[in-house]
Amino acid sequence: MATLIKPTGYKSILSVKETEHAIVAIKDFFQLALSTELNLTRVTAPLFVKRGIGLNDDLNGVERPVSFPVKDMNETVLEIVHSLAKWKRVKVTDLNLASGFGIYTDMNAIRADEELGNLHSLYVDQWDWERVIGEENRNIAFLKKIVERI
């Protein structure tokens, strides 16, 4: 059962409306800064993919994707994306990006098997990015430089 821990006496300093505006401001700032710093182009992530095509990672090996049949597609089963790891690599390849360039997206997902609480919910809204790294930069020192830039 989910346990939400709220500190005793907690009171938000922002109203609900101000909180929504703040979320947009932070996301806009982060999006611009991340894309500029890492040479990333914004792409739209899929909300769902066809079951069995290999694009929906199972994260920890036992994730159960939320799925549904589509009447107008001969009952083809689609799955709500819960990880873009494989999809991002396919997208970068499809875009034929040069070394040092990449993509980012704001993924929305539903993860039915999350342990619910302060850190995790059924609904996931997370930034995801992928960048082409040349053979000469496939090392720990380069990855540390990227992390520092973030």
Side-chain angles (χ1 to χ4, degrees), residues 92-110:
V92 165
T93 301
D94 288 348
L95 293 171
N96 197 28
L97 298 175
S99 182
F101 293 87
I103 61 171
Y104 75 94
T105 191
D106 186 5
M107 180 185 85
N108 295 289
I110 298 170

PDB file of all heavy atoms in Angstrom, residues 92-110:
ATOM      1  N   VAL A  92      17.366   8.267 -32.798  1.00  0.00           N
ATOM      2  CA  VAL A  92      18.643   8.912 -33.138  1.00  0.00           C
ATOM      3  C   VAL A  92      19.175   8.345 -34.455  1.00  0.00           C
ATOM      4  O   VAL A  92      19.668   9.090 -35.300  1.00  0.00           O
ATOM      5  CB  VAL A  92      19.669   8.738 -31.985  1.00  0.00           C
ATOM      6  CG1 VAL A  92      21.076   9.071 -32.439  1.00  0.00           C
ATOM      7  CG2 VAL A  92      19.275   9.615 -30.806  1.00  0.00           C
ATOM      8  N   THR A  93      19.064   7.044 -34.634  1.00  0.00           N
ATOM      9  CA  THR A  93      19.511   6.407 -35.878  1.00  0.00           C
ATOM     10  C   THR A  93      18.669   6.885 -37.052  1.00  0.00           C
ATOM     11  O   THR A  93      19.209   7.232 -38.112  1.00  0.00           O
ATOM     12  CB  THR A  93      19.439   4.867 -35.759  1.00  0.00           C
ATOM     13  OG1 THR A  93      20.268   4.455 -34.671  1.00  0.00           O
ATOM     14  CG2 THR A  93      19.886   4.195 -37.031  1.00  0.00           C
ATOM     15  N   ASP A  94      17.343   6.924 -36.880  1.00  0.00           N
ATOM     16  CA  ASP A  94      16.453   7.383 -37.954  1.00  0.00           C
ATOM     17  C   ASP A  94      16.770   8.816 -38.375  1.00  0.00           C
ATOM     18  O   ASP A  94      16.666   9.169 -39.547  1.00  0.00           O
ATOM     19  CB  ASP A  94      14.984   7.314 -37.519  1.00  0.00           C
ATOM     20  CG  ASP A  94      14.454   5.890 -37.441  1.00  0.00           C
ATOM     21  OD1 ASP A  94      15.130   4.955 -37.932  1.00  0.00           O
ATOM     22  OD2 ASP A  94      13.356   5.707 -36.870  1.00  0.00           O
ATOM     23  N   LEU A  95      17.150   9.656 -37.414  1.00  0.00           N
ATOM     24  CA  LEU A  95      17.459  11.054 -37.706  1.00  0.00           C
ATOM     25  C   LEU A  95      18.870  11.235 -38.266  1.00  0.00           C
ATOM     26  O   LEU A  95      19.230  12.329 -38.696  1.00  0.00           O
ATOM     27  CB  LEU A  95      17.287  11.912 -36.446  1.00  0.00           C
ATOM     28  CG  LEU A  95      15.853  12.045 -35.940  1.00  0.00           C
ATOM     29  CD1 LEU A  95      15.829  12.734 -34.573  1.00  0.00           C
ATOM     30  CD2 LEU A  95      14.998  12.807 -36.940  1.00  0.00           C
ATOM     31  N   ASN A  96      19.672  10.175 -38.236  1.00  0.00           N
ATOM     32  CA  ASN A  96      21.024  10.205 -38.785  1.00  0.00           C
ATOM     33  C   ASN A  96      21.844  11.368 -38.218  1.00  0.00           C
ATOM     34  O   ASN A  96      22.474  12.119 -38.952  1.00  0.00           O
ATOM     35  CB  ASN A  96      20.976  10.270 -40.321  1.00  0.00           C
ATOM     36  CG  ASN A  96      22.301   9.888 -40.945  1.00  0.00           C
ATOM     37  OD1 ASN A  96      23.070   9.126 -40.378  1.00  0.00           O
ATOM     38  ND2 ASN A  96      22.565  10.446 -42.115  1.00  0.00           N
ATOM     39  N   LEU A  97      21.821  11.489 -36.900  1.00  0.00           N
ATOM     40  CA  LEU A  97      22.512  12.588 -36.240  1.00  0.00           C
ATOM     41  C   LEU A  97      24.020  12.353 -36.188  1.00  0.00           C
ATOM     42  O   LEU A  97      24.477  11.224 -36.036  1.00  0.00           O
ATOM     43  CB  LEU A  97      21.974  12.771 -34.820  1.00  0.00           C
ATOM     44  CG  LEU A  97      20.493  13.137 -34.724  1.00  0.00           C
ATOM     45  CD1 LEU A  97      20.052  13.170 -33.273  1.00  0.00           C
ATOM     46  CD2 LEU A  97      20.215  14.469 -35.405  1.00  0.00           C
ATOM     47  N   ALA A  98      24.760  13.446 -36.296  1.00  0.00           N
ATOM     48  CA  ALA A  98      26.218  13.388 -36.234  1.00  0.00           C
ATOM     49  C   ALA A  98      26.666  13.259 -34.783  1.00  0.00           C
ATOM     50  O   ALA A  98      25.933  13.597 -33.848  1.00  0.00           O
ATOM     51  CB  ALA A  98      26.809  14.648 -36.863  1.00  0.00           C
ATOM     52  N   SER A  99      27.890  12.829 -34.606  1.00  0.00           N
ATOM     53  CA  SER A  99      28.485  12.731 -33.272  1.00  0.00           C
ATOM     54  C   SER A  99      28.424  14.092 -32.588  1.00  0.00           C
ATOM     55  O   SER A  99      28.684  15.124 -33.209  1.00  0.00           O
ATOM     56  CB  SER A  99      29.938  12.270 -33.396  1.00  0.00           C
ATOM     57  OG  SER A  99      30.513  12.134 -32.126  1.00  0.00           O
ATOM     58  N   GLY A 100      28.034  14.082 -31.304  1.00  0.00           N
ATOM     59  CA  GLY A 100      27.933  15.328 -30.554  1.00  0.00           C
ATOM     60  C   GLY A 100      26.549  15.942 -30.568  1.00  0.00           C
ATOM     61  O   GLY A 100      26.313  16.962 -29.929  1.00  0.00           O
ATOM     62  N   PHE A 101      25.612  15.330 -31.289  1.00  0.00           N
ATOM     63  CA  PHE A 101      24.232  15.818 -31.342  1.00  0.00           C
ATOM     64  C   PHE A 101      23.290  14.722 -30.856  1.00  0.00           C
ATOM     65  O   PHE A 101      23.641  13.549 -30.857  1.00  0.00           O
ATOM     66  CB  PHE A 101      23.860  16.242 -32.771  1.00  0.00           C
ATOM     67  CG  PHE A 101      24.608  17.448 -33.236  1.00  0.00           C
ATOM     68  CD1 PHE A 101      25.853  17.303 -33.834  1.00  0.00           C
ATOM     69  CD2 PHE A 101      24.099  18.723 -33.031  1.00  0.00           C
ATOM     70  CE1 PHE A 101      26.569  18.424 -34.239  1.00  0.00           C
ATOM     71  CE2 PHE A 101      24.809  19.836 -33.429  1.00  0.00           C
ATOM     72  CZ  PHE A 101      26.050  19.686 -34.036  1.00  0.00           C
ATOM     73  N   GLY A 102      22.102  15.133 -30.444  1.00  0.00           N
ATOM     74  CA  GLY A 102      21.171  14.140 -29.941  1.00  0.00           C
ATOM     75  C   GLY A 102      19.757  14.661 -29.855  1.00  0.00           C
ATOM     76  O   GLY A 102      19.411  15.675 -30.466  1.00  0.00           O
ATOM     77  N   ILE A 103      18.950  13.955 -29.080  1.00  0.00           N
ATOM     78  CA  ILE A 103      17.532  14.278 -28.927  1.00  0.00           C
ATOM     79  C   ILE A 103      17.170  14.318 -27.445  1.00  0.00           C
ATOM     80  O   ILE A 103      17.864  13.752 -26.609  1.00  0.00           O
ATOM     81  CB  ILE A 103      16.634  13.241 -29.625  1.00  0.00           C
ATOM     82  CG1 ILE A 103      16.851  11.836 -29.013  1.00  0.00           C
ATOM     83  CG2 ILE A 103      16.861  13.243 -31.128  1.00  0.00           C
ATOM     84  CD1 ILE A 103      15.865  10.783 -29.481  1.00  0.00           C
ATOM     85  N   TYR A 104      16.071  15.004 -27.154  1.00  0.00           N
ATOM     86  CA  TYR A 104      15.488  14.924 -25.814  1.00  0.00           C
ATOM     87  C   TYR A 104      13.984  14.937 -25.958  1.00  0.00           C
ATOM     88  O   TYR A 104      13.431  15.370 -26.972  1.00  0.00           O
ATOM     89  CB  TYR A 104      15.965  16.060 -24.898  1.00  0.00           C
ATOM     90  CG  TYR A 104      15.333  17.395 -25.183  1.00  0.00           C
ATOM     91  CD1 TYR A 104      14.202  17.819 -24.489  1.00  0.00           C
ATOM     92  CD2 TYR A 104      15.857  18.233 -26.150  1.00  0.00           C
ATOM     93  CE1 TYR A 104      13.622  19.044 -24.752  1.00  0.00           C
ATOM     94  CE2 TYR A 104      15.287  19.463 -26.420  1.00  0.00           C
ATOM     95  CZ  TYR A 104      14.174  19.863 -25.712  1.00  0.00           C
ATOM     96  OH  TYR A 104      13.598  21.075 -25.989  1.00  0.00           O
ATOM     97  N   THR A 105      13.329  14.405 -24.948  1.00  0.00           N
ATOM     98  CA  THR A 105      11.878  14.366 -24.946  1.00  0.00           C
ATOM     99  C   THR A 105      11.376  14.409 -23.511  1.00  0.00           C
ATOM    100  O   THR A 105      12.127  14.183 -22.577  1.00  0.00           O
ATOM    101  CB  THR A 105      11.357  13.110 -25.680  1.00  0.00           C
ATOM    102  OG1 THR A 105       9.956  13.233 -25.885  1.00  0.00           O
ATOM    103  CG2 THR A 105      11.673  11.839 -24.914  1.00  0.00           C
ATOM    104  N   ASP A 106      10.127  14.721 -23.369  1.00  0.00           N
ATOM    105  CA  ASP A 106       9.466  14.721 -22.073  1.00  0.00           C
ATOM    106  C   ASP A 106       8.486  13.557 -22.119  1.00  0.00           C
ATOM    107  O   ASP A 106       7.416  13.658 -22.710  1.00  0.00           O
ATOM    108  CB  ASP A 106       8.751  16.060 -21.857  1.00  0.00           C
ATOM    109  CG  ASP A 106       8.165  16.202 -20.471  1.00  0.00           C
ATOM    110  OD1 ASP A 106       8.385  15.314 -19.632  1.00  0.00           O
ATOM    111  OD2 ASP A 106       7.479  17.204 -20.239  1.00  0.00           O
ATOM    112  N   MET A 107       8.890  12.433 -21.543  1.00  0.00           N
ATOM    113  CA  MET A 107       8.099  11.208 -21.623  1.00  0.00           C
ATOM    114  C   MET A 107       6.969  11.213 -20.594  1.00  0.00           C
ATOM    115  O   MET A 107       7.176  11.561 -19.441  1.00  0.00           O
ATOM    116  CB  MET A 107       8.996   9.994 -21.355  1.00  0.00           C
ATOM    117  CG  MET A 107       8.239   8.673 -21.414  1.00  0.00           C
ATOM    118  SD  MET A 107       9.249   7.244 -20.968  1.00  0.00           S
ATOM    119  CE  MET A 107       9.080   7.253 -19.200  1.00  0.00           C
ATOM    120  N   ASN A 108       5.806  10.808 -21.032  1.00  0.00           N
ATOM    121  CA  ASN A 108       4.666  10.571 -20.150  1.00  0.00           C
ATOM    122  C   ASN A 108       4.361   9.085 -20.212  1.00  0.00           C
ATOM    123  O   ASN A 108       4.311   8.510 -21.293  1.00  0.00           O
ATOM    124  CB  ASN A 108       3.439  11.371 -20.609  1.00  0.00           C
ATOM    125  CG  ASN A 108       3.675  12.842 -20.482  1.00  0.00           C
ATOM    126  OD1 ASN A 108       3.736  13.371 -19.391  1.00  0.00           O
ATOM    127  ND2 ASN A 108       3.847  13.528 -21.615  1.00  0.00           N
ATOM    128  N   ALA A 109       4.187   8.479 -19.055  1.00  0.00           N
ATOM    129  CA  ALA A 109       3.974   7.036 -19.025  1.00  0.00           C
ATOM    130  C   ALA A 109       3.120   6.653 -17.830  1.00  0.00           C
ATOM    131  O   ALA A 109       2.866   7.461 -16.934  1.00  0.00           O
ATOM    132  CB  ALA A 109       5.321   6.315 -18.947  1.00  0.00           C
ATOM    133  N   ILE A 110       2.699   5.407 -17.843  1.00  0.00           N
ATOM    134  CA  ILE A 110       2.001   4.808 -16.712  1.00  0.00           C
ATOM    135  C   ILE A 110       2.769   3.546 -16.359  1.00  0.00           C
ATOM    136  O   ILE A 110       3.007   2.692 -17.217  1.00  0.00           O
ATOM    137  CB  ILE A 110       0.543   4.457 -17.060  1.00  0.00           C
ATOM    138  CG1 ILE A 110      -0.226   5.716 -17.430  1.00  0.00           C
ATOM    139  CG2 ILE A 110      -0.122   3.732 -15.897  1.00  0.00           C
ATOM    140  CD1 ILE A 110      -1.598   5.445 -18.008  1.00  0.00           C
TER     141      ILE A 110
END
